[in-house]
Amino acid sequence: MKGFRFTQYVPPNDPEKNTFDNLLNIFLQLVTMTGGDVAEALSWLTNLDKRYNMTNPNYGIGDFIEDLKTKGYLTEENQKGEFKITGKAEQSIRKNALEEIFGKLKKGKGGFHKTTQSGQGDERGTDRRPYNFGDNLDQIALTDSIRNAQVNHGFGGDYLLTEDDLEVIENEFRTQTSTVLMIDISHSMILYGEDRITPAKKVAMALAELIKTRYPKDTLDIIVFGNDAWQIEIKDLPYLQVGPYHTNTVAGLELAMDLLRKRKNPNKQIFMITDGKPTCLKVGIKYYKNAFGIDSKILSETLKLAAQCRKLKIPVTTFMIASDPYLKEFVKEFTKVNNGNAYYSSLKGLGDLIFEDYRRNRTKKF
């Protein structure tokens, strides 16, 4: 009989790493879960140590805290004298997220995104064409050129290779992509005993680190949306928390479109991570809210923006981390109007889906 067997969770402990490295890995995970609250993360870590004996008589949590400060992960140099993580710790959190979400990916060449077009570029393609004056010598396909010379001139005593025999390998034209990642921070992201915001943050940090390291000429803007929408910096992601908000998808899309209008890249796209339907709309200075079912007024404004994005050739890919039938109907209608993509994902598979869609969109012009 097939099924699942649940056992007691034991924090990972790599014997090849020293105590500090093992504790650091767990600590950075806890900081992400606590929204950057170092004191709470250290309290959780102390409780885990009591239960699982992660330290030893020669190295305790106090020693670990001192090492965090010495190695530049923590600082107390602020007005309140509280522990705060440093930029080094924030970067380590992003790198850990990248390894966790995209760790199975093979290393690839850094640079720009490939398209289906050929032209001036850095990466070799598979197409061949005759040599033209001005082509780089390293583009010449030696085997094909020698074969052409033998076919055209035979196997006589004097080997002859002319310009007409030369073939070159066409380089693939490479372009840039501008992406806006929208993250839902409405209250439902932590309802029903399920933490949905932490996986969303990890995916955002992994995508940000992937773009910064492998596609540095791409742009990534991150916005969050609840009752309103606002832009955040990549360094703010570990501190992101859910608020007592409804879901104003319209505000998020409006801000995303404004950001993309300022980008000069020809390829633009929006990724939206959400777990529910739009339930809020700002009318003047007031908020129009309705969390009971799909409100036709809110839906109409949301679909108008989906159509505008389509007109501007900005596809919206929706990652719905919920599977209620009526939510699927909303996403289906939104996707049809925008001509974008939609995925209904568990939290576990969210990162893989986002990367696959990001990679696929690199191969086409919008």
Side-chain angles (χ1 to χ4, degrees):
M1 178 179 177
K2 294 183 178 180
F4 296 95
R5 182 183 298 275
F6 296 92
T7 59
Q8 186 181 33
Y9 171 74
V10 179
N13 185 21
D14 188 347
E16 295 183 359
K17 294 183 178 180
N18 58 36
T19 304
F20 174 80
D21 290 334
N22 285 319
L23 290 176
L24 178 62
N25 182 52
I26 299 171
F27 171 71
L28 295 178
Q29 295 276 356
L30 295 176
V31 168
T32 303
M33 295 175 66
T34 61
D37 190 328
V38 175
E40 186 176 3
L42 289 173
S43 177
W44 288 8
L45 183 65
T46 302
N47 290 331
L48 287 172
D49 181 41
K50 290 179 181 178
R51 179 173 296 186
Y52 299 109
N53 298 318
M54 297 181 295
T55 60
N56 56 67
N58 297 321
Y59 192 90
I61 296 297
D63 298 311
F64 173 65
I65 295 173
E66 288 301 315
D67 280 348
L68 285 175
K69 292 190 291 184
T70 301
K71 296 178 183 292
Y73 291 96
L74 283 187
T75 179
E76 293 179 281
E77 297 178 2
N78 53 76
Q79 292 181 348
K80 296 182 179 180
E82 298 175 344
F83 283 134
K84 299 289 184 182
I85 60 174
T86 63
K88 180 179 180 179
E90 292 167 355
Q91 185 179 25
S92 296
I93 292 173
R94 293 197 302 270
K95 288 183 176 180
N96 285 356
L98 176 62
E99 180 64 26
E100 178 182 343
I101 303 298
F102 302 140
K104 297 180 181 179
L105 303 179
K106 295 181 179 179
K107 290 184 178 180
K109 295 181 180 179
F112 313 100
H113 299 303
K114 292 181 287 186
T115 69
T116 55
Q117 300 180 358
S118 297
Q120 295 295 324
D122 300 322
E123 185 173 340
R124 286 197 168 194
T126 56
D127 295 337
R128 302 289 195 274
R129 63 170 173 79
Y131 174 84
N132 292 321
F133 178 78
D135 286 333
N136 293 328
L137 295 180
D138 59 1
Q139 287 184 254
I140 295 176
L142 293 177
T143 302
D144 296 324
S145 299
I146 293 173
R147 184 194 65 236
N148 293 338
Q150 292 174 340
V151 171
N152 294 334
H153 310 296
F155 294 91
D158 295 329
Y159 179 78
L160 184 63
L161 177 67
T162 68
E163 181 179 332
D164 293 334
D165 301 322
L166 298 178
E167 285 191 18
V168 298
I169 303 174
E170 187 72 281
N171 284 353
E172 290 183 347
F173 179 77
R174 313 183 83 179
T175 187
Q176 301 173 12
T177 300
S178 289
T179 303
V180 172
L181 178 62
M182 295 173 51
I183 303 176
D184 184 351
I185 58 169
S186 62
H187 188 57
S188 60
M189 292 288 278
I190 56 170
L191 280 181
Y192 315 116
E194 185 174 33
D195 177 10
R196 296 170 176 174
I197 190 63
T198 298
K201 285 194 295 185
K202 287 185 177 181
V203 167
M205 288 187 289
L207 184 61
E209 193 66 14
L210 180 75
I211 291 174
K212 285 170 65 70
T213 55
R214 290 181 57 178
Y215 309 110
K217 293 195 176 182
D218 279 13
T219 65
L220 175 66
D221 294 294
I222 302 173
I223 64 177
V224 295
F225 62 105
N227 290 350
D228 295 289
W230 60 94
Q231 186 177 9
I232 64 172
E233 300 294 331
I234 292 175
K235 64 181 180 62
D236 299 327
L237 281 169
Y239 312 101
L240 190 61
Q241 293 181 325
V242 168
Y245 305 127
H246 286 258
T247 307
N248 192 343
T249 307
V250 168
L253 290 172
E254 287 176 339
L255 179 56
M257 292 169 65
D258 288 342
L259 292 172
L260 289 175
R261 285 191 186 99
K262 300 174 183 177
R263 299 298 185 184
K264 303 303 181 182
N265 294 342
N267 294 335
K268 302 175 181 181
Q269 60 185 346
I270 297 173
F271 287 166
M272 178 169 64
I273 303 175
T274 182
D275 72 334
K277 61 189 180 298
T279 61
C280 178
L281 189 66
K282 195 168 186 179
V283 182
I285 61 173
K286 295 184 178 180
Y287 293 97
Y288 175 87
K289 302 175 183 177
N290 182 5
F292 303 97
I294 301 291
D295 186 285
S296 58
K297 182 175 181 178
I298 299 175
L299 177 63
S300 175
E301 292 300 316
T302 306
L303 295 181
K304 283 182 182 179
L305 285 179
Q308 288 183 29
C309 286
R310 179 175 182 174
K311 186 176 181 180
L312 295 172
K313 297 183 179 180
I314 302 175
V316 181
T317 303
T318 305
F319 299 91
M320 176 63 73
I321 47 180
S323 57
D324 304 65
Y326 76 101
L327 293 179
K328 286 187 176 181
E329 287 301 317
F330 156 69
V331 174
K332 182 178 180 181
E333 187 174 4
F334 178 87
T335 304
K336 181 179 180 181
V337 172
N338 174 255
N339 196 30
N341 296 303
Y343 299 95
Y344 307 94
S345 169
S346 66
L347 294 172
K348 184 178 180 180
L350 182 63
D352 292 336
L353 284 177
I354 285 183
F355 172 75
E356 288 300 327
D357 203 72
Y358 184 75
R359 184 169 59 179
R360 179 169 57 253
N361 286 345
R362 291 182 300 148
T363 64
K364 62 184 180 183
K365 292 184 71 65
F366 299 133

